[in-house]
Amino acid sequence: NFYPKTFTEKINMILKYVASKSRFFCDFVNLNSDSLNAFYFIRTIIDAKRLSNEEIDRQKVFLCDYLFDKNDFLQGSITDMLLTSKGRGEVGKIEKEDNLNKNIFVAMSFAYDAKPIRDAIKKGIRKAGFVPILIDEVTHNKQIVPEMFRLIRESKFLVMDTTLKNYGAYYEAGYAQGLGKEVIITCREDEFNSSDKRPHFDIAQKQILVWKNEEDLIQRLSDWIKALI
């Protein structure tokens, strides 16, 4: 799920990675041999057959030629590199495209009783100018967990409602948190104040959007998203 699906995505992820490791402009980033995974070289193929060193080296030569010579995004070497001014500009374009992402993944109970909450969350997200993404509303022909991970990875952030407990929602929120994405947690007031229904203590210290009714949820969630962005 983390692995880039296209060559362009691979280049974008490499440049963003180098930028994230730079402490300041004109800072050299040092990568040891293990960190070469940051360049996403393919080392094995179907049936875990390992590529030859020659085949792996060809990937290194091609990527270095693209990043260092043809486009001047990087200077130095593959283990000691500097993001050039052109590279910084490219990272800025990538980040701008990321900011245009309007998808918000929703993690919550799929029970019938949760339908009014689901509708309110979707309305609140749309009111803020974003697009709600729920896994059971996405048409796909793949295994559900990898597809769910992909949708979370490609979403701007995640909204998790803990009303009507769903432990899968905690799993999804944890995955998003691990990716460094913002997670908005919501809970209906009566359950938040209940000793046996309130959110799990692992997230109890996080700021939680406590709502009274569906109309309150729509407005407060919309305001929260706008403030966050």
Side-chain angles (χ1 to χ4, degrees):
N1 287 291
F2 286 100
Y3 199 84
K5 305 299 187 297
T6 65
F7 180 74
T8 299
E9 186 179 359
K10 180 180 292 192
I11 295 300
N12 290 352
M13 291 177 73
I14 290 171
L15 294 176
K16 289 199 309 184
Y17 177 80
V18 177
S20 71
K21 295 299 180 182
S22 303
R23 297 167 298 171
F24 50 85
F25 295 131
C26 302
D27 181 33
F28 273 88
V29 175
N30 303 111
L31 298 180
N32 58 34
S33 58
D34 291 332
S35 296
L36 292 180
N37 289 318
F39 279 75
Y40 303 104
F41 297 131
I42 297 174
R43 302 183 184 189
T44 59
I45 52 177
I46 299 172
D47 299 327
K49 179 184 177 182
R50 181 173 172 80
L51 297 178
S52 68
N53 290 334
E54 181 183 350
E55 290 171 315
I56 296 173
D57 285 341
R58 278 207 303 269
Q59 296 177 64
K60 294 180 182 180
V61 170
F62 182 86
L63 271 178
C64 286
D65 181 57
Y66 186 90
L67 290 165
F68 288 85
D69 298 326
K70 287 185 177 177
N71 289 286
D72 190 33
F73 291 146
L74 298 173
Q75 287 181 2
S77 69
I78 199 167
T79 57
D80 193 24
M81 69 199 69
L82 165 70
L83 195 63
T84 65
S85 57
K86 186 176 179 181
R88 290 278 174 188
E90 190 68 16
V91 171
K93 293 178 184 177
I94 297 166
E95 291 174 341
K96 184 176 180 180
E97 291 176 1
D98 290 344
N99 289 334
L100 294 176
N101 182 3
K102 294 293 185 179
N103 291 347
I104 296 179
F105 191 90
V106 180
M108 62 175 297
S109 170
F110 291 156
Y112 178 80
D113 292 347
K115 188 178 184 305
I117 302 173
R118 169 194 287 246
D119 292 341
I121 289 176
K122 290 166 67 174
K123 288 178 181 178
I125 291 173
R126 290 188 180 119
K127 187 173 183 179
F130 289 81
V131 179
I133 303 294
L134 293 96
I135 186 64
D136 65 333
E137 295 182 358
V138 176
T139 302
H140 64 88
N141 191 32
K142 302 176 182 177
Q143 291 185 342
I144 190 169
V145 174
E147 183 67 8
M148 178 185 71
F149 283 164
R150 181 187 68 81
L151 292 170
I152 293 174
R153 183 165 62 89
E154 295 178 359
S155 293
K156 195 169 188 69
F157 54 88
L158 181 143
V159 171
M160 171 193 179
D161 186 75
T162 63
T163 314
L164 304 177
K165 279 188 171 52
N166 180 296
Y167 293 111
Y170 282 86
Y171 181 57
E172 294 155 24
Y175 182 74
Q177 191 87 49
L179 292 174
K181 294 183 180 292
E182 291 283 354
V183 175
I184 297 176
I185 300 172
T186 67
C187 185
R188 194 170 60 206
E189 188 176 56
D190 61 320
E191 292 208 2
F192 182 80
N193 293 326
S194 171
S195 59
D196 60 337
K197 293 183 178 180
R198 65 178 291 118
H200 192 271
F201 71 88
D202 281 349
I203 64 169
Q205 304 304 315
K206 187 176 175 65
Q207 190 173 15
I208 296 176
L209 190 163
V210 181
W211 51 275
K212 297 180 180 180
N213 52 50
E214 281 74 29
E215 288 301 316
D216 183 44
L217 174 58
I218 293 170
Q219 186 59 52
R220 297 195 63 205
L221 179 58
S222 174
D223 292 343
W224 194 305
I225 292 171
K226 290 176 183 178
L228 182 65
I229 299 302

